[in-house]
Amino acid sequence: MRENLHIDHRSGSSGKPVGGLILGIESSCDETAAAVVRAGGEALSNVVASQMSLHANYGGVVPELASREHLRNIVPVVREAMARAGVSFAELDAVAVTEGPGLAGALLVGITYAKALSFGLDKPLIAVNHLEGHIHAVLMEARQRAEAPMELPLLALVVSGGHTHLYLATHQQGSAESWTYRNVGRTVDDAAGEAYDKVAKLLGLGYPGGPWIDALAPLGNPRAVQFTFGQIKTRAPREGITNKKAPAPSEGPHFDFSFSGIKTAVLRYVETHHLRESIEARRAVLAADATITPKNAQGLCDQQTLDLIASFQYAVVGNLMRQTFAAAEAFGARSIVVSGGVAANSELRRRLQAEGDRRGLPIAFPSLALSTDNAAMIAAAAWPKFLARNFAPDSLGATPQLRLGQQ
Ligand code: KG4
Ligand code: ZN
């Protein structure tokens, strides 16, 4: 643990305080990212090297390829983030890195590099939970816009390719900076983004599937196919299973999700409606023409497929909304934050916002750039930890199954 903490509170020419500079590093999945953020509220740079096209050939992230690509990208991405921020390594106050959850080999690339950097520069190292990062992406942008702080407790829906979680978040007692989280809902099988990716793949669309379905859904009839979500049994603590990283499950209701059923229902629809042939034709067209993107894909699907896509999205968004508002009501949340890759979805944004307005419940989303994985959110989430001198030990390792808060 390092104690050589020094925050320089001089004012720069802009009148803003100088110092509080944190370099964030993120490599938990398929983006190598680095960013410099000042005092958790001002992103001076935010560089993301995406491996999307590499994994697109496989329709999903290939862990071994991801680690190799992170190794190739980590040094140039960090250098670029420092250069764009106009900051020297000596001016940094701390280095923050994603500790988990994520792919072990991918996480280790960022962690090893961050540890070496922190050791070489003699600056503190801060370990950040990726899920906490997604929540802080929204809080950072709200701070950047100089908005009033979000009212607490806030309910965070973190919804991406790897996660679908609901967290109740508030400040730790007696601290205006440190946060505590309680998990009040999670997926029992696939994440929502995973369902988007799998359904898109099944329908012969590109990877990742979210942006394709998002772009095509408005062209179909969302009520053409009725998809239903069954009730999910409330989780009970499993006897005899202990996990050092997972605190004991808490009392109270849980608002869990399940997305594997709808994926199977789409598959069944494809088979009973004999869509295989047109799907194969679409896959061949896309493979042969790299200029087709979600934005110009209108002609790619017949009306029946567009209706199926619209109905799938309508059902998924409806389910996310139902559980989110039910949890908000049950726990008396005073605001809602939505983050993660699926937070980029236009129907989700529109319908959540409308329902939030109806209920008088403020809802905040990140900008599109900060919806998906990035390192500005890691540096922002590290700021309260920096103030609390909550530094990582030199022995920091990757925790692929890391949980956030009380379960
Ligand atoms: O947060 P993220 O970049 O990585 C993970 O931590 O998983 O999220 C990626 C996920 C993918 O499943 C992708 O299909 C989904 O976010 N996604 C979307 C949209 N843009 C990305 N899902 C629905 N609509 C979108 N516009
Ligand atoms: Zn993520």
Side-chain angles (χ1 to χ4, degrees):
M1 200 99 61
R2 303 260 172 71
E3 287 295 327
N4 57 335
L5 183 65
H6 170 71
I7 313 176
D8 187 347
H9 284 295
R10 281 172 297 143
S11 280
S13 53
S14 61
K16 289 181 185 146
V18 174
L21 291 173
I22 297 186
L23 167 67
I25 295 175
E26 152 68 35
S27 68
S28 66
C29 191
D30 60 344
E31 330 272 7
T32 321
V36 179
V37 174
R38 192 200 303 278
E42 187 190 0
L44 303 183
S45 64
N46 186 24
V47 177
V48 181
S50 175
Q51 308 176 3
M52 219 177 273
S53 51
L54 176 72
H55 300 288
N57 301 331
Y58 305 92
V61 178
V62 184
E64 184 57 28
L65 292 183
S67 311
R68 258 189 266 164
E69 201 62 13
H70 283 307
L71 272 175
R72 231 191 302 269
N73 289 338
I74 189 86
V75 173
V77 163
V78 169
R79 284 202 184 135
E80 182 70 19
M82 296 297 292
R84 285 198 202 169
V87 163
S88 71
F89 282 108
E91 287 173 289
L92 291 175
D93 291 291
V95 178
V97 66
T98 305
E99 178 187 11
L103 302 168
L107 286 163
L108 272 174
V109 175
I111 291 172
T112 311
Y113 187 76
K115 275 165 74 169
L117 205 55
S118 130
F119 184 75
L121 297 170
D122 199 22
K123 309 272 182 189
L125 179 69
I126 300 172
V128 175
N129 185 310
H130 179 85
L131 298 163
E132 188 176 15
H134 273 302
I135 297 170
H136 280 262
V138 187
L139 302 179
M140 177 181 79
E141 289 190 313
R143 230 170 278 145
Q144 219 156 343
R145 292 189 299 263
E147 286 172 7
M150 309 226 39
E151 286 200 49
L152 304 180
L154 68 79
L155 182 73
L157 169 66
V158 182
V159 60
S160 70
H163 312 281
T164 306
H165 288 288
L166 281 168
Y167 293 102
L168 196 64
T170 192
H171 283 315
Q172 226 156 39
Q173 239 176 359
S175 158
E177 287 294 345
S178 297
W179 288 83
T180 63
Y181 305 91
R182 174 173 167 195
N183 182 281
V184 296
R186 64 162 175 253
T187 179
V188 298
D189 42 53
D190 291 351
E194 201 176 347
Y196 267 96
D197 295 339
K198 287 178 176 170
V199 165
K201 187 175 178 184
L202 172 67
L203 297 179
L205 299 169
Y207 174 83
W212 293 85
I213 290 179
D214 193 359
L216 294 169
L219 307 174
N221 173 9
R223 302 187 193 262
V225 189
Q226 300 286 323
F227 291 112
T228 50
F229 284 86
Q231 284 294 317
I232 298 157
K233 272 201 222 142
T234 303
R235 283 174 279 144
R238 280 184 289 167
E239 275 176 39
I241 295 183
T242 52
N243 177 348
K244 267 195 273 171
K245 287 285 174 184
S250 56
E251 298 292 320
H254 276 269
F255 296 88
D256 290 341
F257 302 92
S258 166
F259 292 105
S260 77
I262 193 166
K263 176 192 65 187
T264 313
V266 173
L267 175 63
R268 209 173 309 123
Y269 185 96
V270 162
E271 268 153 18
T272 51
H273 292 76
H274 312 290
L275 300 182
R276 283 255 172 243
E277 216 171 297
S278 65
I279 289 171
E280 287 315 325
R282 184 176 314 120
R283 199 167 278 140
V285 169
L286 268 182
D289 186 351
T291 66
I292 305 177
T293 67
K295 287 200 175 73
N296 62 9
Q298 295 88 338
L300 212 52
C301 301
D302 53 72
Q303 196 56 47
Q304 190 180 23
T305 306
L306 291 172
D307 289 349
L308 177 62
I309 290 170
S311 303
F312 164 77
Q313 174 157 291
Y314 184 76
V316 170
V317 168
N319 186 250
L320 288 170
M321 285 180 57
R322 237 180 334 274
Q323 298 298 77
T324 303
F325 284 110
E329 207 169 300
F331 293 103
R334 304 197 43 197
S335 56
I336 295 179
V337 157
V338 188
S339 194
V342 182
N345 187 266
S346 29
E347 183 174 335
L348 180 68
R349 285 182 178 234
R350 184 168 38 77
R351 288 175 60 193
L352 271 175
Q353 189 67 62
E355 184 60 19
D357 289 348
R358 205 182 65 75
R359 293 172 182 244
L361 202 55
I363 303 199
F365 299 88
S367 62
L368 290 186
L370 291 198
S371 292
T372 46
D373 290 350
N374 65 86
M377 69 186 199
I378 302 303
W383 177 240
K385 299 179 200 299
F386 178 78
L387 293 176
R389 296 175 166 243
N390 182 2
F391 301 143
D394 293 339
S395 60
L396 179 71
T399 309
Q401 306 293 337
L402 187 65
R403 306 219 180 172
L404 178 62
Q406 194 188 4
Q407 301 301 300

